[in-house]
Amino acid sequence: MKQNHTRAFFIETAALTLFVLLALTVLVQVFGKSRQMGEQAAHTSAAALILQNVDADFQAGTLGTDGTSEETLELRYNADGTQAEDGAYLVTVTLTPMSATGGGRLWTAQITVSDADRTTQYAAGSTACYRKGAA
């Protein structure tokens, strides 16, 4: 009779140990995925801020030259949206002249924000701006 109780105790202990290990495995995976998603959200938020800053510079006319041919710029930014030579984010801006009128020219800009080694693109957008006197 005592052997049956001991055997049942060991079986219950083994089942409980397997359940705890399974629960820990699931929790580790959940927390690992949440950290990964948090880092991705931080990169996406920083890229959106950078994209807005570059668009504002383009609209203000401080980005690019006053030429009449297509131009591609590569800029580096920090996560806080400030331009820096050793920034973690690479911004590629392609400026394309469109229609010209007597008083100026319509320009379009394709803006992409990626990590410094170009393996992950975090944000992309396009915008247009009319610049006076750039006919």
Side-chain angles (χ1 to χ4, degrees), residues 71-126:
E71 181 178 359
T72 300
L73 306 171
E74 287 190 351
L75 311 165
R76 293 200 182 262
Y77 280 80
N78 289 326
D80 61 358
T82 58
Q83 195 170 352
E85 286 187 29
D86 61 343
Y89 296 92
L90 176 67
V91 179
T92 305
V93 184
T94 304
L95 303 171
T96 306
M98 302 303 275
S99 60
T101 63
R105 179 179 295 275
L106 178 67
W107 286 81
T108 62
Q110 297 292 326
I111 306 167
T112 58
V113 181
S114 60
D115 57 353
D117 56 359
R118 299 178 190 200
T119 56
T120 305
Q121 181 177 320
Y122 295 116
S126 60

